[in-house]
Amino acid sequence: MKIHLPNSAFLGNLDSFLRGFDSTHPDHLEITANDQWIAVHPVVLSMIAALGLTVKPGNVRCGPLQARSGHYVVRMGLLKILNIPSSITMVEHEPAGRFIPLTQIRTSSELTSFITEMIPLLHVESEQAKTIGYIVSELVRNVIEHADAEHGAFLCAQYYKKSHSIRIGIADTGVGIKATINKSHEAATDLEAIRLALWPGVTGMTRRDGGTAQNAGAGLFFIKSIASVNRDFFVIYSGSGFYKLLKPSPTRRLRLNADPFGDRHSKRDDLPFWHGTAAGVDITLDQTKEFAVLLEAIGTTYRTALRERKNARYRPPRFL
Amino acid sequence: MTIDLFQKTGAFAENKDVARDIRVRDIIPALERHEEVILDFAGVGAATQSFVHALISDLFRQYGNGVLDRVAFRSCSEAVKQIIRIVVDYMQEGMGIDTEDAPEA
């Protein structure tokens, strides 16, 4: 496998980074980087970390990080997690308020501890902390419960002062969304599986309305909706399927949709195959709505969606 | 019986395993003893939908929506109230109960 750290890979232009991922020869990983500059979204680092642990330590090769910004990759802990020695020396400042380095989470209790420790580190207001905690919890819990990923979830986050935003990336190398959804549904493609996974009330655990005792099939819909209400990017990539929630036009009245393809979005079903799932979200802190207001809007859409699904299934009697 | 959620979850209730344990070990046995259950969310600023679902959805399956006469929610923040409303609504929708014109609690 080959993966290249480009000079720019954020959610807005992530597609081109993903197109460059070479998933052949899965027993080796070669990491290369732009010589001049490396500026990447946390989801890129989370993906590389997750990928690196699927191959034997000796089979991961990382070219020299010559770019001045190469220290960012080191400070976020990528080389450490992949057990690659670094030639870059630096003074490590306290990360509090600026970033959360790459973290591997494998169990439910590890996640709870991580969230408890993460919130104060972010130095954000209480309402914003709720939103961030919510997103991290639901995304990582999906990995723990459904991904069957040997190495669990990898995540990291970065605060961007200029845009006053926090960007979060989570990746795993588990079974992927299609395998999980198809336990109870019939998605023909990875993209169709992503569409179903984002639809409220659809879970791979059952076809029954209301889900199971432990799963309702609402987590990803909530996250997409939070991003939508806050007018932020949200990306999900699994298998060869890719869905990106685009920022809605600031002049248009916001409408939450049950069908993710009803939102302003881009999608692809021909990207290099990612064995697992990766998700990225941007949270612009100035735009973060009060959490309860967010939930009220999401609740209304959820109820409408369930009613529509029920109505769609209704069959009238046939009188001959 | 009053269950202090903060003691079990902290300020952010998100661990579904904890929710399941509360449901199985505390709520259901109390309902089986015909006790009223009060879920006290004082100090819990927010909860995930997954947590609340794991906490109460199975009660609807086991006892029907009449369980809401026996389980009450105390000291909920606005965010927690919203999540509980969503879960309660979709569970009742799934039971064929129209929640569109439901009276406000």
Side-chain angles (χ1 to χ4, degrees):
Chain A
M1 297 181 288
K2 289 179 186 168
I3 203 156
H4 181 72
L5 286 163
N7 63 347
S8 167
F10 292 93
L11 297 190
N13 62 352
L14 196 68
D15 330 24
S16 55
F17 160 72
L18 298 177
R19 275 200 304 274
F21 166 49
D22 177 355
S23 59
T24 57
H25 307 295
D27 47 348
H28 284 78
L29 175 64
E30 186 180 342
I31 305 164
T32 55
N34 187 289
D35 288 344
Q36 305 299 316
W37 194 256
I38 304 167
V40 294
H41 191 280
V43 73
V44 171
L45 299 180
S46 296
M47 286 173 68
I48 298 174
L51 209 56
L53 288 207
T54 63
V55 302
K56 288 180 185 164
N59 290 351
V60 181
R61 275 199 312 155
C62 182
L65 299 172
Q66 290 172 342
R68 265 196 310 130
S69 48
H71 66 276
Y72 169 71
V73 175
V74 180
R75 188 64 186 96
M76 289 298 272
L78 181 64
L79 302 188
K80 192 174 165 190
I81 226 162
L82 298 179
N83 214 9
I84 296 170
S86 166
S87 56
I88 298 175
T89 51
M90 67 176 84
V91 181
E92 293 197 354
H93 298 287
E94 178 62 31
R98 298 183 298 124
F99 67 94
I100 293 168
L102 275 163
T103 306
Q104 183 180 17
I105 301 175
R106 276 169 288 204
T107 65
S108 176
S109 52
E110 277 178 18
L111 172 59
T112 298
S113 308
F114 174 77
I115 289 177
T116 310
E117 289 160 18
M118 172 194 83
I119 299 292
L121 277 180
L122 288 172
H123 292 188
V124 291
E125 289 171 19
S126 138
E127 290 303 307
Q128 296 159 346
K130 285 175 192 167
T131 304
I132 294 163
Y134 196 102
I135 290 170
V136 168
S137 170
E138 293 285 32
L139 284 176
V140 176
R141 211 160 278 286
N142 270 350
V143 178
I144 293 166
E145 289 181 11
H146 305 300
D148 195 18
E150 186 187 348
H151 301 289
F154 290 84
L155 74 102
C156 59
Q158 172 76 43
Y159 170 67
Y160 291 81
K161 197 175 174 185
K162 198 174 165 190
S163 56
H164 193 39
S165 63
I166 286 180
R167 296 170 186 173
I168 302 169
I170 293 170
D172 72 73
T173 49
V175 296
I177 291 177
K178 189 175 157 197
T180 304
I181 281 290
N182 279 354
K183 285 179 183 169
S184 302
H185 301 271
E186 286 130 28
T189 64
D190 290 304
L191 184 61
E192 192 52 36
I194 290 173
R195 184 185 195 180
L196 283 172
L198 289 167
W199 204 294
V202 175
T203 166
M205 307 312 285
T206 180
R207 293 184 76 96
R208 191 173 55 173
D209 277 345
T212 65
Q214 287 297 104
N215 283 283
L220 285 175
F221 168 73
F222 268 63
I223 293 165
K224 177 186 74 83
S225 300
I226 289 169
S228 187
V229 172
N230 287 333
R231 298 180 188 278
D232 286 321
F233 280 121
F234 168 62
V235 155
I236 191 151
Y237 172 41
S238 183
S240 55
F242 174 83
Y243 173 87
K244 175 160 56 181
L245 178 77
L246 300 170
K247 296 182 181 207
S249 158
T251 53
R252 284 190 67 175
R253 192 167 167 271
L254 189 74
R255 186 178 185 278
L256 289 177
N257 292 290
D259 181 357
F261 290 0
D263 293 307
R264 187 163 178 264
H265 73 285
S266 67
K267 56 181 180 289
R268 298 186 65 112
D269 206 10
D270 59 352
L271 289 177
F273 197 86
W274 179 263
H275 282 276
T277 305
V281 63
D282 292 350
I283 302 162
T284 311
L285 298 174
D286 291 336
Q287 294 168 186
T288 310
K289 293 255 188 292
E290 194 185 324
F291 196 59
V293 175
L294 253 173
L295 294 173
E296 192 178 351
I298 294 167
T300 305
T301 310
Y302 200 106
R303 282 183 280 271
T304 309
L306 290 184
R307 212 163 284 142
E308 282 170 3
R309 272 185 68 206
K310 216 161 67 179
N311 290 344
R313 282 204 304 266
Y314 176 77
R315 295 287 175 272
R318 295 189 310 129
F319 299 108
L320 302 174
Chain B
M1 178 192 206
T2 300
I3 298 168
D4 181 347
L5 271 296
F6 180 78
Q7 209 175 55
K8 296 172 188 279
T9 69
F12 181 41
E14 58 80 39
N15 190 327
K16 290 163 73 175
D17 297 340
V18 171
R20 184 198 52 221
D21 288 349
I22 297 169
R23 184 185 79 234
V24 171
R25 291 179 192 166
D26 300 328
I27 303 175
I28 291 177
L31 292 173
E32 291 296 316
R33 293 192 301 269
H34 304 285
E35 288 178 34
E36 186 186 0
V37 175
I38 296 169
L39 298 171
D40 190 339
F41 282 84
V44 179
T48 62
Q49 167 272 332
S50 298
F51 176 87
V52 174
H53 181 90
L55 188 70
I56 64 172
S57 71
D58 211 37
L59 306 180
F60 286 85
R61 290 192 196 92
Q62 289 199 34
Y63 303 102
N65 70 331
V67 77
L68 291 171
D69 296 332
R70 301 164 63 197
V71 175
F73 307 92
R74 180 188 283 163
S75 302
C76 298
S77 69
E78 209 41 55
V80 171
K81 274 185 190 170
Q82 288 293 357
I83 293 283
I84 291 171
R85 281 191 193 112
I86 291 170
V87 175
V88 165
D89 281 6
Y90 71 63
M91 288 312 297
Q92 294 191 81
E93 280 279 352
M95 296 163 75
I97 297 159
D98 192 354
T99 58
E100 193 142 51
D101 298 316
E104 262 301 301

